Amino acid sequence: MTTPTLTIRGFKIFKGLLNAAAQVDMLTELREVARAAPPFSPQTPYGKPMSVRMTSAGKYGWYSDRSGYRYVPHHPDGQAWPPIPEVVMRIWRDLVSKERGPDCCLINFYGEGARMGMHQDRDEADFGWPVLSLSLGDDGLFRIGNPTRGGKTESLWLSSGDAVVMGGEARLTYHGVDRIRFGSSPLLPKGGRINLTLRVVD
DNA sequence: AAGTAACA
DNA sequence: AACG
């Protein structure tokens, strides 16, 4: 059983969970997903697009437009989302559950200057299931807040191969990504950070 | 506000 | 300049 490197406010952080070869294998599978379901920058409900580009794999994909945040069973092009790669499922089984698989693997791509504002993951039906996050590529400054907006926060750098499990007290905690150290990792030839988030949706 | 900007 |  894998134990966390450190725990902050219930966020279990596993530094270097994926070795270099595992990161390359995962990236190869993700390229296939991106080919089948091209990444896009969703509109926020207020009309401004997110700086992060995203796509999904699995039964559902996360989606946002003027109508709000939600999970949808199809890519905006009308196609079903491609299956979640087996190498990704393996990490879920190790860190979260062997009984129940995730319904959604959201794939976020952070280019130079991309950020993710502080938010809660609350578009799922059952908050009893943790959210699993996997980082690939450039370092990202991850910020952990509180169950409500405001208050003191704690930040840490996530690097390629790190995993974070957000369950229990951390499940509804506000979090976001402030900055990318563009070009800090050799994994992606053109730079950038990829973050996978795996969730049980319904 | 899963956004952006200003300010201390 | 980085952080909150």
Side-chain angles (χ1 to χ4, degrees):
Chain A
M1 137 143 199
T2 310
T3 60
T5 311
L6 73 159
T7 302
I8 300 174
R9 302 185 185 190
F11 286 69
K12 293 180 186 173
I13 298 142
F14 302 79
K15 299 296 288 182
L17 184 80
L18 283 71
N19 66 23
Q23 294 172 37
V24 169
D25 287 350
M26 193 171 287
L27 184 59
T28 301
E29 297 301 314
L30 295 178
R31 288 196 214 281
E32 282 302 300
V33 172
R35 198 170 55 81
F40 56 96
S41 287
Q43 293 289 123
T44 59
Y46 261 70
K48 296 215 177 178
M50 297 178 65
S51 57
V52 170
R53 291 194 308 139
M54 58 178 63
T55 188
S56 294
K59 180 181 177 188
Y60 296 112
W62 189 83
Y63 189 71
S64 168
D65 61 16
R66 299 297 177 98
S67 309
Y69 310 131
R70 61 199 183 275
Y71 287 97
V72 295
H74 299 278
H75 186 277
D77 71 8
Q79 298 241 116
W81 303 102
I84 301 176
E86 182 57 31
V87 289
V88 176
M89 295 295 289
R90 200 169 296 147
I91 310 300
W92 173 276
R93 286 194 294 268
D94 179 26
L95 295 183
V96 178
S97 172
K98 293 172 178 59
E99 322 299 322
R100 165 71 130 118
D103 297 316
C104 173
C105 174
L106 174 61
I107 302 162
N108 286 329
F109 178 76
Y110 295 76
E112 192 164 21
R115 291 168 285 130
M116 177 78 71
M118 293 288 277
H119 67 279
Q120 283 176 310
D121 287 34
R122 57 170 181 192
D123 304 316
E124 304 78 28
D126 182 357
F127 302 134
W129 287 101
V131 173
L132 168 62
S133 155
L134 302 173
S135 295
L136 291 173
D138 291 342
D139 299 343
L141 185 58
F142 187 62
R143 186 148 150 196
I144 298 171
N146 300 284
T148 55
R149 286 196 180 277
K152 292 185 177 172
T153 64
E154 296 179 68
S155 297
L156 77 152
W157 286 97
L158 293 178
S159 5
S160 200
D162 293 352
V164 181
V165 175
M166 303 173 249
E169 60 164 309
R171 182 61 181 76
L172 289 170
T173 294
Y174 277 85
H175 57 278
V177 176
D178 284 354
R179 194 160 61 255
I180 302 300
R181 269 183 192 143
F182 194 78
S184 57
S185 160
L187 185 68
L188 301 173
K190 288 156 62 170
R193 171 177 188 256
I194 294 171
N195 182 68
L196 311 186
T197 44
L198 294 142
R199 302 181 179 85
V200 170
V201 172
D202 60 8

